[in-house]
Amino acid sequence: DAGVIQSPRHEVTEMGQEVTLRCKPISGHNSLFWYRQTMMRGLELLIYFNNNVPIDDSGMPEDRFSAKMPNASFSTLKIQPSEPRDSAVYFCAARTGVSDTQYFGPGTRLTVL
Amino acid sequence: QKEVEQNSGPLSVPEGAIASLNCTYSDRGSQSFFWYRQYSGKSPELIMSIYSNGDKEDGRFTAQLNKASQYVSLLIRDSQPSDSATYLCAVIQGSARQLTFGSGTQLTVLP
């Protein structure tokens, strides 16, 4: 099992550009979480899906952020337009339906210039 | 208001010593507690989970939970330089079973 896969691993973009982050969860893990980590705010939950359905997006900072999970093996987090304050590491994590343990992907380090 | 509190450190201990990491939480209904280790530039990695009051041991790691005091701790015995990392306390809160993370404690084990 390859674990949670995220792409790209690093993204550098300019303010105003659209950014799309991708996540492939572990097969059979039916809950998927998007987190953002910064030095100032630590690890924050942005949104999570259960069986591909968004359950709680209260952590999404602004309308510039959107997330989708079109099927059980793929999710995207989009920022449009991006701003320098969006610079952070974005993690995707997966969980099965019978355990509370979350398994994290390697993260995407986003830098918005 | 932060719901899971940790001392941010940094905490330094000599090699071979016991490192003690502490965490408090505000939601009395919390039932599941986790310790994650995060090396610099890497993703969080689960090292311990605990659900009942008392101690849970796994190798050199011991998690301690006291629900009455809303307190969970992690002890690392015989600390090694490879244990140098940030340790994140995480608590399941609410019916949605979401994890709330503390800000982490940075541990350095000095050779």
Side-chain angles (χ1 to χ4, degrees), chain A residues 4 6 9 37 43 89-93 102-109, chain B residues 36-47 85-86 88 101:
Chain A
V4 177
Q6 291 188 246
R9 296 293 305 277
Q37 187 174 40
L43 198 58
V89 181
Y90 291 81
F91 289 105
C92 175
Q102 293 185 21
Y103 298 93
F104 283 75
T108 296
R109 181 173 296 276
Chain B
Y36 282 80
R37 177 177 61 198
Q38 187 175 24
Y39 292 114
S40 180
K42 301 295 185 182
S43 59
E45 171 193 15
L46 179 71
I47 54 172
T86 296
L88 298 164
F101 284 86

Side-chain angles (χ1 to χ4, degrees), chain B:
Chain B
Q1 181 179 357
K2 197 72 173 176
E3 298 173 336
V4 179
E5 299 283 350
Q6 294 181 252
N7 290 330
S8 61
L11 174 65
S12 294
V13 300
E15 184 174 355
I18 295 175
S20 178
L21 306 166
N22 304 314
C23 174
T24 59
Y25 59 94
S26 60
D27 184 357
R28 283 197 171 275
S30 300
Q31 295 295 320
S32 304
F33 308 86
F34 304 85
W35 284 99
Y36 282 80
R37 177 177 61 198
Q38 187 175 24
Y39 292 114
S40 180
K42 301 295 185 182
S43 59
E45 171 193 15
L46 179 71
I47 54 172
M48 289 286 285
S49 60
I50 187 167
Y51 305 96
S52 303
N53 279 330
D55 295 358
K56 179 182 178 182
E57 186 175 317
D58 183 1
R60 294 186 298 110
F61 298 95
T62 298
Q64 299 175 317
L65 175 61
N66 184 325
K67 291 185 180 180
S69 300
Q70 297 175 241
Y71 175 93
V72 59
S73 65
L74 179 70
L75 301 178
I76 306 175
R77 291 183 302 281
D78 188 23
S79 296
Q80 301 296 309
S82 58
D83 295 326
S84 298
T86 296
Y87 289 80
L88 298 164
C89 173
V91 177
I92 291 285
Q93 297 186 114
S95 58
R97 296 166 57 214
Q98 298 177 29
L99 274 177
T100 299
F101 284 86
S103 55
T105 298
Q106 184 179 344
L107 172 66
T108 300
V109 180
L110 303 171

